[in-house]
Amino acid sequence: MQERWSSGRLIVLTGPSGVGKGTLLKALMKRHPEFYLSVSATTRSPRPGEVDGQHYFFLSRAEFQALVEQGELLEWAEFAGNCYGTPRRPVQAAVQAGKWAILEIELEGARQIRDTFPEALRIFVLPPSMGELEQRLRGRGQDSEEAIARRLERARAEIDAANEFDVQVVNDDLDLALDRIEALLFSSADLQANASAY
Ligand code: ADP
Ligand code: 5GP
């Protein structure tokens, strides 16, 4: 069922694990602290340095399941053996307060958002090559060999679906990719504003 929240807007950023979504968003939020970056719930264990409530809400399976049953997640999906989902209330509150809310989510969740919020802008981040993606996953040094293998397998399926998104951005040079994303956000907002003026 489609939903419509007035005022702000929803932006979805998707791309294979290790492509640099987190890095890009950290830099984007520095440039635009007025944006709202959604904090997801997950059943995955924290990586070194990850803080509960800041990077994710780290939940047990039972706690996550309770959120699903109570309709508290805007979307959710399983990824590489763990569940991930977007808490509905804070995102809704941000959009209703006129903010641009950014969801960094995987493919299945992005598809759910396409169905419930067709007007959301959906951006897919591509790696320059599969070899570079593997290097970035390894270079991050925070996933086991098994987790890296699962993420690379899933990466191929996600990249095959890149055309489903409104736009694709290759994260080769970080600053150029960031400039491109920023430009896309503002040009699409202008387009939406002009369209609703008629
Ligand atoms: P994701 O959030 O998509 O899983 P990360 O932001 O954690 O990916 O990035 C994975 C690794 O790739 C990190 O070590 C990060 O520093 C590195 N990285 C990100 N963007 C670039 C880039 N444009 N060029 C080289 N390395 C990058
Ligand atoms: P990671 O374990 O590397 O932090 O995240 C794994 C994948 O889960 C990434 O592709 C990330 O975008 C995705 N993800 C993070 N939060 C959510 C969420 O709330 N919903 C969905 N569907 N995917 C998410």
Side-chain angles (χ1 to χ4, degrees), residues 13-18 21 38-42 44 47 50 56 75-80 82 84-87 104-110 112 140 143 151 158:
L13 194 82
T14 300
S17 181
K21 303 180 297 297
S38 166
V39 179
S40 298
T42 182
R44 143 164 109 54
R47 295 188 180 122
E50 284 185 332
Y56 280 105
E75 59 71 37
W76 71 276
E78 270 206 64
F79 181 95
N82 288 298
Y84 295 81
T86 304
E104 190 248 282
I105 60 179
E106 53 66 69
L107 178 63
E108 293 306 326
Q112 292 169 41
R140 186 164 67 183
D143 296 296
R151 280 158 192 266
E158 295 214 325

